[in-house]
Amino acid sequence: MPKDGGIGASTKRREDVRFLTGKGRYTDDINIRGQLYAHFIRSQVAHGTIRKIDTRDAEAMPGVVKVFTSADFTGVGGIPTGWQVTSRDGQPMLEPKHPVLAEGKVRHVGDPIAVVVAETLEQARDAAEAVEIDIDELPAVMDMKAAIQGGPLVHDEIGSNLCYDWGFVEENKAAVDEAFRNAAHVTTLELVNNRLVANPMEPRVAVGDYEDHSGQHTLYTTSQNPHVIRLLMGAFVLSIPEHKLRVVAPDVGGGFGSKIYHYAEEAFVTKAAQILKRPVKWTSSRSEAFMSDAQGRDHVTRVELALDADHNFTALRCETYANMGAYLSTFAPCIPTWLHGTLLAGNYKTPLVYTNVKAVFTNTVPVDAYRGAGRPEATFQLERVIDKAARELGVSPVELRRKNFIQPDQFPYQTPVAVVYDTGNYQATLDKLLELSDHAGFEARAAESKARGKLRGFGLAHYIEACGIAPSNLVGQLGARAGLYESATVRVNATGSITVFTGSHSHGQGHETTFAQVISEMIGIDASQVEIVHGDTSNTPMGMGTYGSRSLAVGGSAMVKATNKIINKAKKIAAHLMEASEADIELKDGKFTVAGTDKEKSWVDITLAAYVPHNYPLESMEPGLEETAFYDPSNFTYPAGAYGCEVEVDPETGKVTICSFTAADDFGNVVNPMIVEGQVHGGLAQGIGQAMLENCVFDENGQLLSGSFMDYAMPRADDVPFYSVDHSCATPCTHNPLGVKGCGEAGAIGSPPAVVNAVIDALHRGGFTHVTHIDMPVSPSRVWQAMQG
Amino acid sequence: MHNFDFVKPSTIAEAVSALSHEGAQALSGGQTLIPTMKQRLAAPGTLVSLTGIAEMQGVCLGDGGLHIGAATPHAVVAREAKAHYPALASLAAGIGDPAVRNRGTIGGSLANNDPAACYPSAVLASGATIVTNTRTIGADDYFQGMFTTALHDGEIITSVVFPIPEKAAYVKFDQPASRFALTGVFVAKYAGGVRVAVTGASQDGVFRWREAEAALTANFSPAAVSGLTVDSRHMIADLHGTPAYRANLVKVLTGRAVAAAS
């Protein structure tokens, strides 16, 4: 019997009422009296020396208030990097300055050079055409290997394009090499993890406001983590103390990682509002988003898998070139390292793993986390090389995986790549997948496809991810320059309703619904009595925001912790009112009872007593019912699952059609199954998008060839199948109070290798056995080209 | 977008007069021009809308075949040409998305002559006649390369006349992002022979594949083209396909169009 409320109920998303009726309040909906409009003038070349910027004609044009250049930002800090990675030789990564506006040089198409601020946006755009900019174009460096082999320097002052050269686990390197020398079989694969543009439906927007009389700054911005922006921008860029800087991230229309970072435009509008003493607004166009939002992926990898004569994996060795773009975005350095290298054990008991990652500066848009962030790259290379190994050895890819799985009785499992998996059952998800996808009927379907002249293939991929990014003391050792706890304040109001202030941020995840379900379950009141407030640093406790599938696992846990404090205090009040021992008080369905008696007090009796403390133990307890908790987890969470994809390939055109896609996930406990399934659906669409359609491409001069939806292929509804999604094989997380693992990124992590494995399987079944790999996206032309040999 | 003046004449004569002024630009459905203006890549001083002219609207049978007013939106062609020329109606139904189909017009598409647009293939394969305010132009003379046509400055397409074939079909292979034709082939079988027109593939815009026409005139079956080869030398190379890939699509889609022709 499905529940109609609380944990486990598919409660409809309350936020959708405003979103679907056009009542959402996004940053672009915020207009402040006297507001000015900013238009950024961006570099049209990938690399060049700025000789001259003449703003005089533009500043004389109607409505123009000021044209800003880097000269107006002397004394302002660069955009900081939130994670420091250490190279194999013990040296810290190279960290060039990332100015708010280009200083002396431009380093990628889209690099902001100047900003026109005017009374209207059209006036600003008109004037931008009158700003005279003289740039001496320099040779652009696009290829990562060329960049570190004497290519033009992106940042002259650091003397190299190699940001860092990271080895992990460095101590294992010799043992890994030895295992490869002793291997019965070695499978090698070279692949590219294609660069992606996040493309949330809502482009970025920033509105800066300044109160001259109080010195109070306010930034409204499309952010996944307003407190992080306040910290980074306040402390490192503009030197504004937290109490004078309020950052508000109202309704945000999707982020997928691209709205984690602190961007130059945020610092610009905040500073410009102070200089001009008027609010300043910037709204990104879609074209600007393509060249100014941090992009994702872009790894070039060589992966090798060593197996013994019994087909046990004995070692994995990887070398990855990771594109940083022209500047280090906020969390860029940690994506190809700690969010990538630590996942290379996958679901397998491979005893030895070594990966070398070279992070490289190129004249391209900066790259940072995008849904999955490092884990999709790890999963893709691992699941592709395993499939290739199975093919080379002539064994079933299903059975080769099964043979090498970490066994259910091996948890907690210490991997050779630092992390300890708390729980999991990979056999169970695999069995569930094979059942749901009717694997037994595959050959019949393949025969039916063949009769129609089509090639059918099945692809399997397993994934694991490390989510709920934390604990702080560990990430600090790994180079994080921030804590990764989460916070919540639970404010019980006098008449029993509850307002929760969370440091997490909801931009599509449905926190307002699911967090209320958790409170409803814990206290036994209706979820309608609970309001979730997020996104404003002026009323929420310091939190680290939402990314890495962390909100429920970390933010939800903070809320549970605060709610437990509430319950403990409420029980004390109840004990006092019912003249009973606190130990005998039970809370169930919103009622406090005394064990073994018929005494009873309602939730509202207690909350009222807390705020009207006429009969109250004032000598031992404060009135009121409001608690704050910070939760810092003891480990990551490890969602895992098995994904299966069936495709049909048209051998005449190379077109791939996905016939079915099945996902068997282990997310631990689930609060709202409907929302979880929606998250998986969205993740799968993005993963299938990466696998089949999306590709961000620059030409050799650094011009963006896929700079609009005319050439950057986003998945449409008819590009994806109806999914079969299951999360019944749950092994709850052992170290957070809800037993939850997180579900936001799984779909995007597990699906790309499943799709590519299916395409390769189809081609092999069709006799195209020379095709061992096709880089993503497996577009019709690429598949056809591969078939030609 | 820069400021501009806007006029909406109700007769062809008024439109011609309005377009004779410097900086004037004809606007039909605006599905290409308006986005270009929004990007500030075009800044005409005056837009002369052609969608308010009654004689440039509608689909009807007449001398020489099916007459389609140049300002007729794709959605109307999809609906009203269906009974007379189903392959043409089907082509119109597959252009862009509902917004494009209800704003974009056949005349606008032909005047623009985007190398990946669908309509030019139907016009060329049908040997249609482009009727302008001053003359008629045969399809074989009209298309003169990518974004280039026989139209003079200020000349307006008023209608297009399609001879109705015995059998025809259009098969489009979508460019994955834009869903314009990565390659599209229109095959039309007339008593006098078969015409095959290809869009999306060539650097020179829409073209006739004459070897296929000869083969199909002799034997109207997919097998007739299976032994032919397509010259890839002038094919487009871009993110979505190589010249060789497009050449392959020309052949594959021609065979499929023949099989689908009705």
Side-chain angles (χ1 to χ4, degrees), chain B residues 36 64-65 70 105 115 140 142 146 155 171 181 202 206 225-226 228-229 241 258:
Chain B
T36 310
T105 68
D140 287 317
Y142 177 79
M146 209 181 256
E155 188 174 8
V171 177
S202 170
V206 67
V225 294
S226 63
L228 302 181
T229 53
V258 171

Side-chain angles (χ1 to χ4, degrees), chain A residues 8-199:
Chain A
S10 285
T11 305
K12 284 189 180 168
R13 288 164 36 111
R14 57 171 65 171
E15 43 273 81
D16 285 348
V17 176
R18 68 176 189 276
F19 294 150
L20 297 178
T21 57
K23 298 291 196 285
R25 187 167 184 257
Y26 297 90
T27 307
D28 195 44
D29 294 321
I30 292 167
N31 293 297
I32 306 170
R33 181 191 288 270
Q35 167 181 292
L36 298 166
Y37 293 83
H39 176 77
F40 279 72
I41 301 172
R42 298 179 183 279
S43 179
Q44 296 177 8
V45 300
H47 197 192
T49 305
I50 301 171
R51 290 291 169 214
K52 187 181 82 174
I53 306 173
D54 187 341
T55 64
R56 283 169 300 182
D57 288 352
E59 287 193 298
M61 286 179 66
V64 175
V65 176
K66 183 171 171 61
V67 180
F68 290 85
T69 66
S70 65
D72 299 294
F73 281 75
T74 52
V76 165
I79 305 296
T81 309
W83 203 295
Q84 180 178 289
V85 167
T86 303
S87 283
R88 295 168 63 199
D89 62 6
Q91 293 300 307
M93 67 185 190
L94 298 181
E95 207 173 339
K97 186 180 181 186
H98 183 181
V100 173
L101 296 174
E103 294 174 353
K105 257 178 95 170
V106 289
R107 297 184 174 86
H108 67 87
V109 167
D111 207 359
I113 301 169
V115 190
V116 182
V117 177
E119 298 289 343
T120 72
L121 181 57
E122 287 302 311
Q123 288 171 332
R125 294 186 69 181
D126 286 342
E129 292 176 1
V131 175
E132 196 184 320
I133 297 174
D134 184 6
I135 292 179
D136 283 350
E137 195 167 352
L138 296 166
V141 62
M142 309 304 296
D143 179 78
M144 286 191 273
K145 290 176 187 172
I148 58 174
Q149 289 165 1
L153 289 175
V154 179
H155 297 272
D156 306 275
E157 70 278 14
I158 59 172
S160 171
N161 289 325
L162 182 63
C163 176
Y164 57 74
D165 178 5
W166 183 77
F168 185 69
V169 176
E170 195 62 27
E171 295 72 31
N172 287 351
K173 186 173 189 301
V176 168
D177 291 344
E178 178 70 16
F180 271 88
R181 279 192 292 273
N182 297 330
H185 184 86
V186 173
T187 295
T188 303
L189 181 61
E190 295 191 5
L191 54 86
V192 174
N193 205 290
N194 43 327
R195 183 187 280 240
L196 304 176
V197 181
N199 276 319

Side-chain angles (χ1 to χ4, degrees), chain A residues 122 125-126 129 287 650 652-655 693 697 705-706 709-713 716 718-719 780-781 784-785, chain B residues 1-2 38-40 173-180 182 238-242 244-245 248-249 252-253 256:
Chain A
E122 287 302 311
R125 294 186 69 181
D126 286 342
E129 292 176 1
S287 305
D650 177 348
E652 291 186 323
T653 64
K655 185 176 169 62
L693 296 158
V697 184
L705 297 180
S706 53
F709 291 136
M710 289 295 279
D711 283 300
Y712 188 89
R716 293 169 165 89
D718 63 350
D719 287 316
S781 64
W784 181 83
Q785 198 66 51
Chain B
M1 195 183 282
H2 291 277
K38 283 183 174 178
Q39 290 175 297
R40 295 182 166 233
F173 194 88
D174 288 347
Q175 194 259 54
S178 68
R179 295 203 173 174
F180 274 67
L182 184 63
D238 63 12
L239 287 181
H240 309 287
T242 59
Y245 182 64
N248 172 66
L249 284 181
V252 170
L253 302 183
R256 291 181 182 185

Side-chain angles (χ1 to χ4, degrees), chain B residues 85 120-129 138-143 163 165-170 185-198 206-218 220 254 257-258 261:
Chain B
Y85 195 165
S121 69
V123 169
L124 190 57
S126 304
T129 301
D140 287 317
D141 300 324
Y142 177 79
F143 300 103
E166 295 168 6
K167 282 183 169 184
Y170 176 63
V185 176
F186 200 107
V187 171
K189 181 177 185 296
Y190 290 89
V194 175
R195 291 173 67 108
V196 177
V198 179
V206 67
F207 70 95
R208 286 174 67 184
W209 185 20
R210 294 185 187 268
E211 293 87 340
E213 291 181 354
L216 290 167
T217 298
F220 193 72
T254 301
V258 171

